[in-house]
Amino acid sequence: MTGDDQARQDSGTLTEEQARRMLADMNEVIRAGEEMRGLRTEMIRVLGGLGWTQDRIARLTEMSQPAVSKQLTRYRAGEAAPPVELALDQYDVPWLEGRLWGLAEELAEAFPGTARCAGHADALARGRKRFTPRAVDELRRLVEEDLARHRAELPGGCREAYDRISRGLDVPPKAATAEGPAGSASVRRALARRIQRDRLGEGA
């Protein structure tokens, strides 16, 4: 802290650093909200592409049917997105990141108060962390620690799921197909997260 900042703090004035930290927290919340609205819009497109009715989508999203209709009609038939594959075992990076995220959340629920990955998974859910390579590597490390610490009491399928996810993430990017799978990275993460959690919940 500079002498000027110290003097302002002593006099009861907000310092620039204090304001920066405070506004950074606010900006994270606002950004997360905007991103979540965008993700919901993309998910409405995905569900429409799967043949779901507007009434059904409106009920699940807690939106009005006209609002859902407006979202769907923004895209002309010729621009319809290709259907998103929902099989668990897919190996593009966003899908694997979503599976890792879902696994971390399952561990956090299974071992409340002791799961090392819980805070990281929650920060991703709230938009306080991004899916950067560094953040994903950190989450992998924390999940590995939790798997080792709770080896004898793991819910069914957790170790196998992690091994598959880890092998997929270790494949060099050049092994990915040039065309790539359907759906944006955020949509694919959200879908993989949900499907992974459901599969673990079934004890698969």
Side-chain angles (χ1 to χ4, degrees), residues 126-144:
R126 296 178 182 275
R128 294 198 301 266
K129 284 185 180 292
R130 302 284 181 270
F131 280 90
T132 63
R134 180 176 178 179
V136 172
D137 284 345
E138 183 180 354
L139 184 59
R140 288 179 70 179
R141 178 180 59 79
L142 293 171
V143 167
E144 285 175 357

Side-chain angles (χ1 to χ4, degrees), residues 98-115:
R99 289 190 63 184
L100 179 66
W101 184 13
L103 172 59
E105 290 183 329
E106 286 293 311
L107 292 173
E109 287 191 7
F111 307 109
T114 61

